[in-house]
Amino acid sequence: MENNEQLERFFERMKKQDEHLAIPAFPEVKTRKFSFWIPAGIAASMIFAFLFIQKPAPVKSGSPEVVIITLQEDENHNQHFTIEESTFLDTWESPTASLLTAY
């Protein structure tokens, strides 16, 4: 019991001492307002992006898949190279056609 009374007196003295303490003022925190310039800037940049985006260029046809180089002889026995470009679907030659012309 005696300890309880001593404890109570101790804490009462502590409370009285705490009443005389000077509490510093808490600094006021300034909050920034969300400016309307940020969303306006984002919207303006999106508008400019849509205005200046170029249309995709048309796709050029690919290079020919087959280049045929032939050596031809004219009536004066002069030889000339002829170069033709085509796709596989344009021309077809039998694999044994050269056997017919060579022998």
Side-chain angles (χ1 to χ4, degrees):
M1 270 300 215
E2 198 171 298
N3 284 341
N4 285 342
E5 290 175 9
Q6 286 180 353
L7 284 174
E8 286 178 16
R9 279 184 282 166
F10 174 76
F11 283 112
E12 283 178 22
R13 276 188 272 139
M14 292 291 285
K15 287 180 185 178
K16 286 180 184 176
Q17 288 176 358
D18 286 345
E19 288 176 0
H20 299 294
L21 287 177
I23 300 172
F26 188 75
E28 184 178 331
V29 178
K30 295 180 180 179
T31 59
R32 292 183 6 187
K33 293 182 179 179
F34 187 72
S35 178
F36 79 96
W37 290 107
I38 294 171
I42 292 171
S45 62
M46 289 178 67
I47 289 171
F48 283 124
F50 285 125
L51 289 177
F52 292 115
I53 290 178
Q54 296 178 358
K55 294 180 181 176
V59 177
K60 295 180 181 178
S61 61
S63 62
E65 297 176 7
V66 177
V67 176
I68 302 170
I69 302 173
T70 57
L71 181 62
Q72 295 179 344
E73 188 174 324
D74 62 1
E75 58 274 348
N76 296 332
H77 300 290
N78 294 330
Q79 295 181 345
H80 301 282
F81 285 105
T82 305
I83 301 174
E84 300 176 36
E85 297 177 348
S86 63
T87 62
F88 283 116
L89 297 176
D90 291 344
T91 60
W92 181 84
E93 186 175 318
S94 171
T96 57
S98 62
L99 296 175
L100 297 174
T101 59
Y103 297 105

XYZ file of all heavy atoms in Angstrom:
841
model
N 0.805 -1.199 0.000
C 0.000 0.000 0.000
C 0.844 1.258 0.000
O 0.483 2.227 -0.643
C -0.807 0.045 1.285
C -2.131 -0.557 1.317
S -3.280 0.070 0.222
C -4.662 -0.065 1.151
N 1.875 1.176 0.764
C 2.725 2.334 0.875
C 3.373 2.658 -0.470
O 3.544 3.828 -0.821
C 3.804 2.048 1.935
C 4.460 3.290 2.445
C 5.348 2.929 3.626
O 4.851 2.445 4.624
O 6.549 3.154 3.462
N 3.712 1.618 -1.210
C 4.316 1.823 -2.533
C 3.335 2.486 -3.491
O 3.726 3.316 -4.299
C 4.776 0.488 -3.128
C 6.065 0.018 -2.477
O 6.776 0.800 -1.882
N 6.330 -1.267 -2.589
N 2.068 2.129 -3.380
C 1.073 2.736 -4.241
C 0.945 4.227 -3.971
O 0.818 5.026 -4.896
C -0.284 2.067 -4.038
C -0.337 0.692 -4.699
O 0.478 0.397 -5.562
N -1.290 -0.111 -4.278
N 0.976 4.598 -2.714
C 0.876 6.009 -2.365
C 2.102 6.773 -2.853
O 1.995 7.905 -3.333
C 0.718 6.172 -0.854
C -0.625 5.699 -0.341
C -0.713 5.758 1.181
O 0.202 6.327 1.816
O -1.695 5.242 1.697
N 3.250 6.167 -2.740
C 4.478 6.812 -3.214
C 4.437 6.976 -4.749
O 4.852 8.012 -5.265
C 5.702 5.988 -2.811
C 6.042 6.077 -1.349
C 7.262 5.228 -1.002
O 7.760 4.475 -1.837
N 7.719 5.360 0.239
N 3.942 5.968 -5.389
C 3.838 6.050 -6.844
C 2.848 7.136 -7.263
O 3.107 7.898 -8.193
C 3.416 4.705 -7.443
C 4.496 3.623 -7.517
C 3.897 2.305 -7.994
C 5.606 4.053 -8.435
N 1.749 7.203 -6.572
C 0.756 8.222 -6.893
C 1.322 9.620 -6.676
O 1.128 10.520 -7.511
C -0.498 8.027 -6.045
C -1.341 6.857 -6.477
C -2.559 6.658 -5.574
O -2.918 7.588 -4.817
O -3.134 5.572 -5.648
N 2.024 9.841 -5.581
C 2.630 11.144 -5.326
C 3.701 11.472 -6.370
O 3.813 12.613 -6.830
C 3.241 11.178 -3.921
C 2.179 11.438 -2.858
C 2.799 11.555 -1.507
N 3.074 10.141 -1.112
C 3.846 9.778 -0.113
N 4.448 10.668 0.608
N 4.032 8.518 0.178
N 4.476 10.475 -6.754
C 5.510 10.680 -7.769
C 4.883 11.146 -9.093
O 5.333 12.116 -9.696
C 6.296 9.380 -7.971
C 7.277 9.441 -9.093
C 8.474 10.129 -8.948
C 7.006 8.835 -10.316
C 9.370 10.187 -9.989
C 7.893 8.898 -11.349
C 9.097 9.578 -11.204
N 3.830 10.470 -9.510
C 3.207 10.840 -10.781
C 2.451 12.167 -10.688
O 2.366 12.908 -11.667
C 2.294 9.714 -11.281
C 3.078 8.570 -11.882
C 3.111 7.342 -11.263
C 3.792 8.746 -13.069
C 3.833 6.299 -11.808
C 4.505 7.705 -13.603
C 4.546 6.476 -12.980
N 1.919 12.508 -9.510
C 1.278 13.815 -9.347
C 2.301 14.932 -9.485
O 2.030 15.963 -10.113
C 0.593 13.893 -7.981
C -0.717 13.145 -7.924
C -1.344 13.212 -6.522
O -1.015 14.136 -5.761
O -2.142 12.326 -6.233
N 3.490 14.732 -8.895
C 4.548 15.731 -9.038
C 4.980 15.854 -10.499
O 5.216 16.950 -10.995
C 5.750 15.335 -8.176
C 5.590 15.797 -6.742
C 6.862 15.570 -5.934
N 6.768 14.212 -5.387
C 7.769 13.334 -5.325
N 8.958 13.650 -5.757
N 7.579 12.141 -4.812
N 5.043 14.725 -11.183
C 5.410 14.749 -12.603
C 4.363 15.514 -13.413
O 4.708 16.291 -14.315
C 5.556 13.316 -13.154
C 6.737 12.554 -12.595
S 8.306 13.196 -13.136
C 8.353 12.604 -14.787
N 3.095 15.317 -13.112
C 2.037 16.026 -13.835
C 2.124 17.517 -13.592
O 1.935 18.319 -14.511
C 0.666 15.501 -13.407
C 0.342 14.129 -13.933
C -1.034 13.695 -13.448
C -1.343 12.272 -13.846
N -2.658 11.829 -13.332
N 2.409 17.935 -12.342
C 2.527 19.350 -12.031
C 3.710 19.963 -12.759
O 3.636 21.097 -13.236
C 2.664 19.547 -10.522
C 1.373 19.339 -9.783
C 1.536 19.546 -8.294
C 0.232 19.223 -7.590
N 0.375 19.324 -6.139
N 4.806 19.219 -12.840
C 5.974 19.729 -13.572
C 5.663 19.842 -15.076
O 6.109 20.791 -15.729
C 7.179 18.803 -13.365
C 7.775 18.876 -11.989
C 8.897 17.864 -11.806
O 9.194 17.087 -12.712
N 9.508 17.872 -10.622
N 4.911 18.881 -15.581
C 4.572 18.910 -17.010
C 3.648 20.085 -17.350
O 3.662 20.572 -18.478
C 3.911 17.593 -17.433
C 4.916 16.457 -17.534
O 6.136 16.728 -17.570
O 4.490 15.285 -17.609
N 2.842 20.537 -16.398
C 1.942 21.657 -16.655
C 2.710 22.946 -16.924
O 2.231 23.825 -17.632
C 0.999 21.856 -15.465
C -0.053 20.795 -15.345
C -0.913 20.969 -14.090
O -0.676 21.933 -13.325
O -1.807 20.133 -13.897
N 3.898 23.064 -16.388
C 4.694 24.279 -16.529
C 5.614 24.246 -17.763
O 6.279 25.240 -18.032
C 5.526 24.526 -15.262
C 4.693 24.709 -14.037
N 3.844 25.794 -13.864
C 4.556 23.953 -12.921
C 3.245 25.694 -12.719
N 3.653 24.573 -12.109
N 5.633 23.134 -18.450
C 6.478 23.051 -19.644
C 5.890 23.889 -20.779
O 4.683 23.928 -20.976
C 6.596 21.600 -20.132
C 7.466 20.661 -19.306
C 7.413 19.252 -19.882
C 8.903 21.138 -19.290
N 6.771 24.551 -21.500
C 6.331 25.347 -22.647
C 6.316 24.436 -23.881
O 7.331 23.830 -24.228
C 7.272 26.516 -22.864
N 5.194 24.365 -24.501
C 5.047 23.514 -25.683
C 5.287 24.378 -26.914
O 4.602 25.386 -27.110
C 3.655 22.871 -25.731
C 3.455 22.013 -24.482
C 3.500 22.047 -27.005
C 2.059 21.478 -24.327
N 6.262 24.010 -27.723
C 6.518 24.829 -28.913
C 5.372 24.690 -29.911
O 4.702 23.671 -29.988
C 7.820 24.255 -29.479
C 7.896 22.871 -28.938
C 7.161 22.873 -27.630
N 5.179 25.758 -30.671
C 4.100 25.747 -31.653
C 4.514 24.847 -32.826
O 5.656 24.881 -33.295
C 3.824 27.155 -32.138
N 3.594 24.063 -33.275
C 3.849 23.179 -34.410
C 3.785 24.011 -35.685
O 2.822 24.745 -35.907
C 2.797 22.064 -34.433
C 3.091 21.003 -35.450
C 4.081 20.062 -35.234
C 2.389 20.955 -36.647
C 4.361 19.094 -36.165
C 2.659 19.995 -37.591
C 3.650 19.052 -37.351
N 4.819 23.926 -36.533
C 4.787 24.765 -37.744
C 3.658 24.328 -38.669
O 3.369 23.143 -38.829
C 6.158 24.509 -38.386
C 6.608 23.214 -37.827
C 5.992 23.081 -36.463
N 3.044 25.328 -39.246
C 1.927 25.056 -40.140
C 2.466 24.545 -41.474
O 3.373 25.119 -42.056
C 1.120 26.330 -40.370
C -0.118 26.116 -41.199
C -0.920 27.392 -41.356
O -0.872 28.237 -40.461
O -1.588 27.518 -42.397
N 1.897 23.446 -41.927
C 2.324 22.851 -43.184
C 1.482 23.440 -44.302
O 0.258 23.402 -44.263
C 2.161 21.313 -43.139
C 2.561 20.704 -44.472
C 2.974 20.731 -42.002
N 2.182 23.988 -45.290
C 1.468 24.569 -46.415
C 1.276 23.486 -47.472
O 2.222 22.844 -47.888
C 2.249 25.733 -47.009
C 2.384 26.898 -46.059
C 3.162 28.025 -46.699
C 3.288 29.187 -45.732
N 4.063 30.289 -46.314
N 0.060 23.307 -47.855
C -0.234 22.319 -48.895
C -0.350 23.032 -50.228
O -0.897 24.131 -50.319
C -1.539 21.565 -48.592
O -2.599 22.504 -48.501
C -1.427 20.789 -47.301
N 0.200 22.381 -51.253
C 0.096 22.961 -52.586
C -1.214 22.536 -53.203
O -1.612 21.383 -53.133
C 1.244 22.469 -53.465
C 2.568 22.999 -53.007
C 3.716 22.593 -53.898
N 3.352 21.883 -55.094
C 4.204 21.338 -55.933
N 5.475 21.430 -55.683
N 3.808 20.700 -57.011
N -1.855 23.498 -53.796
C -3.101 23.184 -54.489
C -2.762 22.578 -55.839
O -1.773 22.939 -56.471
C -3.946 24.440 -54.672
C -4.466 25.005 -53.371
C -5.325 26.210 -53.634
C -5.860 26.771 -52.329
N -6.669 27.955 -52.547
N -3.562 21.642 -56.259
C -3.369 21.006 -57.558
C -3.761 22.000 -58.628
O -4.911 22.379 -58.760
C -4.210 19.728 -57.644
C -3.937 18.934 -58.875
C -2.746 18.243 -59.013
C -4.852 18.882 -59.907
C -2.490 17.500 -60.140
C -4.600 18.151 -61.036
C -3.419 17.452 -61.151
N -2.797 22.423 -59.368
C -3.025 23.454 -60.370
C -3.706 22.859 -61.593
O -3.464 21.723 -61.968
C -1.688 24.066 -60.775
O -1.880 25.036 -61.775
N -4.540 23.639 -62.209
C -5.232 23.172 -63.413
C -4.283 23.205 -64.611
O -4.608 22.683 -65.669
C -6.495 23.992 -63.680
C -6.230 25.324 -64.331
C -6.334 25.456 -65.708
C -5.890 26.431 -63.585
C -6.097 26.669 -66.318
C -5.654 27.650 -64.180
C -5.760 27.771 -65.560
N -3.107 23.805 -64.463
C -2.159 23.885 -65.582
C -1.593 22.522 -65.947
O -1.267 22.283 -67.114
C -1.015 24.843 -65.251
C -1.460 26.269 -65.201
C -1.611 27.042 -64.090
C -1.824 27.087 -66.310
N -2.048 28.296 -64.430
C -2.185 28.352 -65.800
C -1.893 26.889 -67.680
C -2.600 29.387 -66.615
C -2.296 27.928 -68.488
C -2.642 29.151 -67.964
N -1.478 21.644 -64.980
C -0.917 20.314 -65.263
C -1.834 19.526 -66.196
O -1.390 19.062 -67.248
C -0.625 19.567 -63.949
C 0.493 20.286 -63.188
C -0.243 18.117 -64.224
C 0.725 19.764 -61.797
N -3.126 19.350 -65.883
C -3.969 18.618 -66.833
C -4.153 19.357 -68.149
O -4.264 18.732 -69.211
C -5.308 18.459 -66.120
C -5.166 19.028 -64.778
C -3.825 19.634 -64.649
N -4.142 20.699 -68.098
C -4.271 21.460 -69.347
C -3.046 21.236 -70.224
O -3.159 21.093 -71.452
C -4.444 22.944 -69.039
N -1.862 21.175 -69.638
C -0.640 20.919 -70.398
C -0.623 19.526 -70.994
O -0.203 19.327 -72.136
N -1.105 18.547 -70.230
C -1.174 17.177 -70.746
C -2.148 17.115 -71.917
O -1.859 16.502 -72.952
C -1.573 16.209 -69.619
C -0.450 16.113 -68.577
C -1.884 14.831 -70.181
C -0.835 15.355 -67.328
N -3.297 17.750 -71.773
C -4.286 17.732 -72.854
C -3.747 18.443 -74.097
O -3.928 17.958 -75.220
C -5.582 18.390 -72.381
N -3.067 19.555 -73.907
C -2.516 20.294 -75.054
C -1.444 19.473 -75.757
O -1.390 19.430 -76.989
C -1.937 21.625 -74.586
N -0.595 18.799 -74.994
C 0.445 17.990 -75.635
C -0.162 16.812 -76.387
O 0.332 16.431 -77.450
C 1.461 17.502 -74.607
O 0.826 16.679 -73.650
N -1.246 16.250 -75.886
C -1.911 15.159 -76.606
C -2.540 15.677 -77.897
O -2.485 15.006 -78.930
C -2.964 14.499 -75.712
C -2.362 13.676 -74.586
S -3.582 12.959 -73.499
C -4.356 11.796 -74.578
N -3.120 16.867 -77.853
C -3.717 17.445 -79.062
C -2.635 17.699 -80.111
O -2.806 17.353 -81.285
C -4.480 18.745 -78.715
C -5.747 18.410 -77.927
C -4.815 19.534 -79.974
C -6.451 19.614 -77.344
N -1.499 18.272 -79.686
C -0.413 18.507 -80.637
C 0.129 17.204 -81.189
O 0.488 17.114 -82.360
C 0.714 19.315 -79.989
C 0.400 20.774 -79.858
C 0.454 21.402 -78.635
C 0.062 21.528 -80.982
C 0.165 22.750 -78.504
C -0.224 22.873 -80.874
C -0.177 23.494 -79.629
N 0.196 16.179 -80.349
C 0.697 14.881 -80.827
C -0.232 14.318 -81.896
O 0.234 13.799 -82.918
C 0.818 13.914 -79.657
N -1.531 14.405 -81.693
C -2.467 13.884 -82.687
C -2.433 14.696 -83.974
O -2.627 14.160 -85.067
C -3.893 13.855 -82.133
C -4.122 12.746 -81.155
C -4.609 13.022 -79.888
C -3.852 11.428 -81.482
C -4.831 12.010 -78.977
C -4.059 10.413 -80.575
C -4.544 10.698 -79.321
N -2.176 16.006 -83.873
C -2.131 16.837 -85.066
C -0.888 16.565 -85.907
O -0.932 16.628 -87.132
C -2.168 18.319 -84.681
C -3.500 18.833 -84.140
C -3.362 20.297 -83.720
C -4.597 18.694 -85.181
N 0.217 16.273 -85.246
C 1.477 16.139 -85.966
C 1.876 14.699 -86.262
O 2.934 14.480 -86.848
C 2.594 16.843 -85.200
C 2.423 18.331 -85.183
C 2.184 18.997 -83.994
C 2.466 19.062 -86.351
C 2.018 20.365 -83.964
C 2.299 20.436 -86.340
C 2.079 21.085 -85.151
N 1.076 13.748 -85.852
C 1.395 12.359 -86.194
C 1.147 12.181 -87.685
O 0.073 12.489 -88.186
C 0.539 11.369 -85.378
C 0.972 11.385 -83.924
C 0.646 9.967 -85.958
C 0.155 10.480 -83.039
N 2.151 11.685 -88.355
C 2.033 11.519 -89.796
C 1.333 10.202 -90.106
O 1.449 9.230 -89.375
C 3.407 11.527 -90.442
C 4.123 12.850 -90.269
C 5.510 12.794 -90.886
O 5.917 11.771 -91.394
N 6.216 13.903 -90.826
N 0.651 10.227 -91.221
C 0.001 9.010 -91.667
C 1.088 8.037 -92.103
O 2.115 8.440 -92.646
C -0.935 9.299 -92.840
C -2.103 10.163 -92.440
C -3.008 10.429 -93.616
C -4.161 11.323 -93.191
N -5.016 11.680 -94.314
N 0.893 6.774 -91.875
C 1.922 5.820 -92.272
C 2.109 5.812 -93.784
O 1.144 5.917 -94.544
C 1.398 4.472 -91.770
C -0.046 4.678 -91.498
C -0.252 6.143 -91.242
N 3.340 5.734 -94.183
C 3.652 5.722 -95.617
C 3.168 4.402 -96.210
O 3.202 3.360 -95.556
C 5.153 5.868 -95.815
N 2.686 4.450 -97.450
C 2.239 3.202 -98.067
C 3.404 2.231 -98.208
O 4.541 2.635 -98.450
C 1.709 3.638 -99.434
C 2.312 4.978 -99.681
C 2.563 5.587 -98.345
N 3.096 0.991 -98.050
C 4.124 -0.044 -98.111
C 4.492 -0.279 -99.568
O 3.619 -0.533 -100.403
C 3.613 -1.352 -97.462
C 4.653 -2.441 -97.583
C 3.238 -1.105 -96.018
N 5.760 -0.168 -99.853
C 6.216 -0.390 -101.213
C 6.228 -1.889 -101.484
O 6.439 -2.695 -100.585
C 7.627 0.163 -101.398
C 7.704 1.662 -101.249
C 9.118 2.139 -101.451
C 9.204 3.649 -101.281
N 10.580 4.125 -101.419
N 5.986 -2.198 -102.728
C 6.024 -3.615 -103.077
C 7.451 -4.111 -102.905
O 8.414 -3.407 -103.166
C 5.551 -3.820 -104.516
O 6.410 -3.127 -105.400
N 7.563 -5.317 -102.448
C 8.862 -5.889 -102.169
C 9.685 -6.083 -103.420
O 9.196 -6.016 -104.550
N 10.943 -6.287 -103.203
C 11.815 -6.516 -104.348
C 11.446 -7.852 -104.986
O 10.897 -8.745 -104.339
C 13.273 -6.530 -103.897
O 13.469 -7.583 -102.987
N 11.727 -7.994 -106.257
C 11.348 -9.230 -106.929
C 12.077 -10.420 -106.312
O 13.199 -10.298 -105.829
C 11.774 -9.007 -108.374
C 12.773 -7.914 -108.323
C 12.427 -7.077 -107.142
N 11.394 -11.531 -106.342
C 11.961 -12.723 -105.735
C 12.934 -13.432 -106.677
O 13.803 -14.158 -106.237
C 10.840 -13.681 -105.332
C 9.934 -13.092 -104.278
C 8.770 -13.999 -103.952
O 8.746 -15.127 -104.446
O 7.897 -13.558 -103.216
N 12.776 -13.194 -107.985
C 13.616 -13.877 -108.955
C 14.217 -12.852 -109.906
O 13.517 -11.980 -110.424
C 12.793 -14.910 -109.769
C 13.659 -15.567 -110.822
C 12.176 -15.930 -108.861
N 15.500 -12.933 -110.122
C 16.176 -12.123 -111.127
C 16.696 -13.105 -112.172
O 17.490 -13.994 -111.871
C 17.334 -11.317 -110.526
C 18.079 -10.556 -111.598
C 16.824 -10.363 -109.470
N 16.229 -12.942 -113.417
C 16.609 -13.849 -114.499
C 17.598 -13.122 -115.400
O 17.278 -12.077 -115.965
C 15.371 -14.291 -115.304
C 14.366 -14.970 -114.384
C 15.788 -15.214 -116.432
C 13.039 -15.222 -115.036
N 18.780 -13.662 -115.497
C 19.808 -13.089 -116.369
C 20.029 -14.083 -117.505
O 20.393 -15.236 -117.271
C 21.119 -12.850 -115.604
C 20.874 -11.920 -114.420
C 22.186 -12.289 -116.531
C 22.056 -11.761 -113.513
N 19.797 -13.621 -118.722
C 19.975 -14.503 -119.881
C 20.967 -13.875 -120.842
O 21.077 -12.648 -120.939
C 18.640 -14.738 -120.602
O 18.089 -13.479 -120.977
C 17.662 -15.481 -119.722
N 21.671 -14.723 -121.536
C 22.618 -14.286 -122.552
C 22.000 -14.597 -123.900
O 21.711 -15.744 -124.213
C 23.955 -15.020 -122.388
C 25.066 -14.663 -123.358
C 25.458 -13.207 -123.212
C 26.262 -15.569 -123.140
N 21.760 -13.549 -124.711
C 21.109 -13.743 -126.008
C 22.067 -13.302 -127.124
O 22.850 -12.377 -126.960
C 19.821 -12.916 -126.079
C 18.771 -13.368 -125.092
C 17.520 -12.526 -125.153
O 17.532 -11.438 -125.716
N 16.439 -13.042 -124.580
N 21.902 -13.976 -128.211
C 22.748 -13.670 -129.357
C 21.863 -13.110 -130.462
O 20.838 -13.692 -130.807
C 23.444 -14.953 -129.820
C 24.493 -14.736 -130.880
C 25.261 -16.014 -131.190
O 25.507 -16.808 -130.268
O 25.592 -16.193 -132.360
N 22.272 -11.980 -131.051
C 21.471 -11.392 -132.129
C 21.937 -11.930 -133.485
O 22.809 -12.791 -133.557
C 21.511 -9.870 -132.067
C 22.901 -9.295 -132.250
O 23.849 -10.076 -132.446
O 23.035 -8.055 -132.191
N 21.365 -11.389 -134.566
C 21.667 -11.912 -135.898
C 23.103 -11.643 -136.345
O 23.630 -12.310 -137.223
C 20.688 -11.343 -136.941
C 20.663 -9.828 -137.057
C 19.726 -9.165 -136.064
O 18.905 -9.837 -135.423
O 19.835 -7.939 -135.904
N 23.782 -10.676 -135.723
C 25.180 -10.380 -136.053
C 26.147 -11.157 -135.167
O 27.335 -10.831 -135.120
C 25.460 -8.886 -135.937
C 24.673 -8.070 -136.917
O 24.323 -8.554 -137.992
N 24.385 -6.827 -136.569
N 25.654 -12.122 -134.471
C 26.421 -12.948 -133.537
C 27.021 -12.134 -132.390
O 28.056 -12.489 -131.837
C 27.534 -13.723 -134.273
C 26.994 -14.641 -135.318
N 26.290 -15.772 -135.016
C 27.041 -14.574 -136.678
C 25.926 -16.378 -136.135
N 26.379 -15.658 -137.180
N 26.375 -11.025 -132.029
C 26.765 -10.248 -130.844
C 25.944 -10.764 -129.663
O 24.750 -11.009 -129.777
C 26.493 -8.762 -131.054
C 27.369 -8.163 -132.133
O 28.480 -8.621 -132.332
N 26.858 -7.142 -132.818
N 26.590 -10.910 -128.562
C 25.899 -11.425 -127.386
C 25.536 -10.263 -126.455
O 26.341 -9.362 -126.218
C 26.767 -12.442 -126.661
C 27.027 -13.683 -127.499
C 27.878 -14.695 -126.766
O 28.492 -14.388 -125.766
N 27.888 -15.915 -127.280
N 24.308 -10.325 -125.887
C 23.796 -9.292 -124.989
C 23.179 -9.973 -123.762
O 22.545 -11.012 -123.875
C 22.715 -8.442 -125.678
C 23.191 -7.758 -126.909
N 23.944 -6.625 -126.873
C 23.012 -8.060 -128.224
C 24.221 -6.243 -128.108
N 23.665 -7.111 -128.954
N 23.371 -9.346 -122.627
C 22.733 -9.818 -121.409
C 21.358 -9.191 -121.291
O 21.185 -8.008 -121.534
C 23.557 -9.446 -120.165
C 24.782 -10.289 -119.983
C 26.036 -9.781 -120.258
C 24.667 -11.579 -119.515
C 27.159 -10.548 -120.082
C 25.798 -12.360 -119.338
C 27.049 -11.847 -119.620
N 20.389 -9.974 -120.894
C 19.051 -9.476 -120.616
C 18.741 -9.787 -119.153
O 18.877 -10.931 -118.717
C 18.003 -10.162 -121.511
O 18.396 -9.984 -122.867
C 16.630 -9.576 -121.280
N 18.344 -8.775 -118.404
C 18.036 -8.954 -116.977
C 16.552 -8.709 -116.782
O 16.034 -7.660 -117.138
C 18.863 -7.990 -116.108
C 20.359 -8.238 -116.331
C 18.499 -8.145 -114.637
C 21.259 -7.247 -115.645
N 15.867 -9.693 -116.199
C 14.431 -9.585 -115.920
C 14.204 -9.815 -114.434
O 14.864 -10.630 -113.814
C 13.652 -10.633 -116.715
C 13.793 -10.521 -118.211
C 13.072 -11.658 -118.911
O 12.012 -12.075 -118.416
O 13.598 -12.121 -119.931
N 13.254 -9.093 -113.897
C 12.873 -9.281 -112.494
C 11.429 -9.753 -112.444
O 10.566 -9.197 -113.121
C 13.002 -7.964 -111.727
C 14.413 -7.432 -111.675
C 14.483 -6.091 -110.975
O 13.411 -5.487 -110.737
O 15.590 -5.654 -110.675
N 11.183 -10.774 -111.693
C 9.814 -11.280 -111.572
C 9.677 -12.042 -110.261
O 10.652 -12.228 -109.539
C 9.475 -12.186 -112.760
O 10.321 -13.323 -112.747
N 8.475 -12.456 -110.002
C 8.233 -13.276 -108.819
C 8.116 -14.728 -109.246
O 8.026 -15.047 -110.419
C 6.933 -12.840 -108.117
O 5.850 -13.036 -109.014
C 6.996 -11.385 -107.698
N 8.119 -15.605 -108.274
C 8.024 -17.028 -108.585
C 6.711 -17.367 -109.267
O 6.624 -18.298 -110.036
C 8.160 -17.868 -107.315
C 9.574 -17.984 -106.835
C 9.959 -17.455 -105.619
C 10.531 -18.613 -107.596
C 11.252 -17.579 -105.170
C 11.835 -18.739 -107.150
C 12.196 -18.210 -105.941
N 5.679 -16.587 -108.987
C 4.377 -16.895 -109.563
C 4.287 -16.486 -111.031
O 3.438 -16.975 -111.761
C 3.279 -16.186 -108.768
C 3.151 -16.609 -107.307
C 2.089 -15.766 -106.618
C 2.802 -18.080 -107.204
N 5.175 -15.569 -111.454
C 5.123 -15.097 -112.829
C 5.676 -16.128 -113.817
O 5.176 -16.280 -114.924
C 5.920 -13.807 -112.986
C 5.263 -12.645 -112.265
O 4.073 -12.768 -111.924
O 5.940 -11.635 -112.043
N 6.728 -16.794 -113.446
C 7.381 -17.713 -114.385
C 7.519 -19.090 -113.761
O 7.663 -19.230 -112.541
C 8.789 -17.210 -114.747
O 9.553 -17.125 -113.553
C 8.736 -15.869 -115.433
N 7.477 -20.073 -114.635
C 7.736 -21.438 -114.196
C 8.403 -22.167 -115.339
O 8.000 -22.047 -116.494
C 6.433 -22.160 -113.810
C 6.699 -23.550 -113.349
C 7.059 -23.932 -112.106
C 6.632 -24.745 -114.131
N 7.232 -25.291 -112.042
C 6.971 -25.814 -113.291
C 6.335 -25.014 -115.474
C 7.012 -27.128 -113.715
C 6.380 -26.325 -115.890
C 6.717 -27.382 -115.009
N 9.439 -22.857 -114.992
C 10.155 -23.622 -115.997
C 10.366 -25.016 -115.454
O 10.707 -25.193 -114.285
C 11.498 -22.954 -116.303
C 12.241 -23.606 -117.446
C 13.509 -22.852 -117.799
O 13.469 -21.619 -117.835
O 14.531 -23.524 -118.007
N 10.178 -25.962 -116.300
C 10.349 -27.357 -115.919
C 11.814 -27.598 -115.523
O 12.718 -27.090 -116.182
C 9.958 -28.272 -117.074
O 10.318 -29.604 -116.790
N 12.047 -28.377 -114.489
C 13.426 -28.654 -114.107
C 14.205 -29.410 -115.179
O 15.423 -29.379 -115.230
C 13.315 -29.474 -112.840
C 11.892 -29.595 -112.503
C 11.086 -28.945 -113.561
N 13.499 -30.080 -116.066
C 14.200 -30.854 -117.108
C 14.221 -30.116 -118.437
O 14.630 -30.694 -119.441
C 13.495 -32.205 -117.284
O 12.134 -31.992 -117.610
C 13.605 -33.038 -116.004
N 13.807 -28.863 -118.488
C 13.779 -28.109 -119.738
C 15.184 -27.916 -120.298
O 15.378 -27.914 -121.520
C 13.099 -26.773 -119.530
N 16.154 -27.755 -119.432
C 17.524 -27.573 -119.920
C 18.042 -28.828 -120.604
O 18.881 -28.760 -121.502
C 18.433 -27.198 -118.768
O 18.475 -28.242 -117.806
N 17.545 -30.000 -120.244
C 17.971 -31.233 -120.890
C 17.483 -31.281 -122.348
O 18.157 -31.825 -123.221
C 17.439 -32.458 -120.142
C 17.977 -32.627 -118.713
C 17.287 -33.791 -118.036
C 19.478 -32.830 -118.728
N 16.314 -30.694 -122.592
C 15.768 -30.709 -123.937
C 16.547 -29.786 -124.869
O 16.738 -30.084 -126.041
C 14.291 -30.307 -123.920
C 13.368 -31.260 -123.153
C 11.986 -30.664 -123.096
C 13.352 -32.622 -123.802
N 17.026 -28.644 -124.351
C 17.707 -27.677 -125.199
C 19.212 -27.940 -125.283
O 19.849 -27.566 -126.253
C 17.471 -26.246 -124.707
O 17.964 -26.166 -123.352
C 16.027 -25.863 -124.768
N 19.779 -28.596 -124.301
C 21.215 -28.818 -124.299
C 21.643 -29.984 -125.168
O 22.732 -30.005 -125.713
C 21.715 -29.010 -122.875
N 20.783 -31.010 -125.336
C 21.183 -32.207 -126.088
C 20.376 -32.379 -127.331
O 19.259 -32.243 -127.491
C 21.065 -33.447 -125.202
C 22.005 -33.387 -124.021
C 21.537 -33.103 -122.750
C 23.362 -33.600 -124.190
C 22.394 -33.059 -121.669
C 24.232 -33.548 -123.110
C 23.739 -33.281 -121.865
O 24.583 -33.236 -120.805
